[in-house]
Amino acid sequence: MFIETEDTPNPATLKFLPGRTVMAAGTADFPGPEAAGSSPLARALFALPEVTRVFLGADFITVTKTHDADWSLLKPQVLGVIMDHFLSGLPVIEGETEEEAFEVAEEDREIVAQIRELIDTRVRPAVAMDGGDIVLRGFRDGVVQLRLHGACSGCPSSRATLKHGIENMLKHYVPEVVAVQAVE
């Protein structure tokens, strides 16, 4: 099994491409070991003390390290865990993954549908290339709320991406949008 790696805009995060499907549908973000209960792969990665976050995408895994960890030492360990997991035949996720949902006011349904379409077709594919994901979490009074996952979470350039990239695009296509903000 050959696993490719790619740098991400977040220097604390690397993207691992195992050359096979990781998540058949959706994504999964594990911001710490306590959240990894449903994923044998994430639990195995968190067994490495320098791993602080794991994100699973369609065909990639992003791993975030502690500030003082050295990728030259940690990367071979992560590669070994990922290889062992896929060779074991264990599932990546045990049970069903849940789609994140939020309440939408009746008068905002069409606007939210437009925002969701733009996020899903223009933003998420680009962000996935960098090892992350952005999920629509709400819309109220013209403010779009987005949750950042994977390499995007904690990335030094994520604020600029939100304000100068995503916010400007959404304002251009959906005049009702006045701002974009990240939420936890």
Side-chain angles (χ1 to χ4, degrees):
M1 175 177 199
F2 179 72
I3 302 171
E4 293 181 64
T5 60
E6 293 179 0
D7 290 333
T8 71
N10 184 346
T13 303
L14 277 180
K15 181 178 175 181
F16 296 84
L17 298 126
R20 61 179 60 191
T21 299
V22 175
M23 294 284 292
T27 61
D29 189 24
F30 303 99
E34 65 287 343
S38 65
S39 173
L41 175 55
R43 287 193 308 263
L45 287 165
F46 280 120
L48 302 171
E50 297 88 1
V51 172
T52 61
R53 185 178 208 111
V54 174
F55 177 75
L56 308 174
D59 62 350
F60 66 90
I61 302 143
T62 59
V63 176
T64 305
K65 67 175 185 69
T66 60
H67 177 70
D68 57 341
D70 183 350
W71 273 123
S72 66
L73 300 174
L74 182 58
K75 183 177 165 181
Q77 295 174 56
V78 171
L79 288 167
V81 168
I82 293 170
M83 188 174 299
D84 288 348
H85 174 81
F86 283 109
L87 293 175
S88 75
L90 289 171
V92 172
I93 297 280
E94 297 168 328
E96 299 289 318
T97 58
E98 294 181 21
E99 188 69 24
E100 295 189 57
F102 58 92
E103 298 247 349
V104 179
E106 186 62 40
E107 63 272 11
D108 292 337
R109 290 195 189 281
E110 187 175 319
I111 296 166
V112 169
Q114 291 174 341
I115 293 167
R116 189 179 307 279
E117 175 73 15
L118 288 165
I119 297 292
D120 288 347
T121 60
R122 293 180 181 236
V123 177
R124 291 180 81 190
V127 171
M129 291 178 65
D130 285 337
D133 196 12
I134 294 182
V135 178
L136 180 62
R137 291 298 301 133
F139 178 76
R140 179 172 289 154
D141 300 324
V143 179
V144 176
Q145 297 174 329
L146 300 172
R147 179 170 290 149
L148 294 91
H149 295 288
C152 294
S153 182
C155 177
S157 62
S158 65
R159 181 168 165 72
T161 299
L162 280 175
K163 287 297 180 187
H164 302 295
I166 299 168
E167 183 174 277
N168 288 342
M169 180 205 51
L170 289 176
K171 283 179 173 180
H172 176 78
Y173 289 106
V174 185
E176 294 84 357
V177 172
V178 296
V180 171
Q181 65 181 196
V183 295
E184 286 299 316

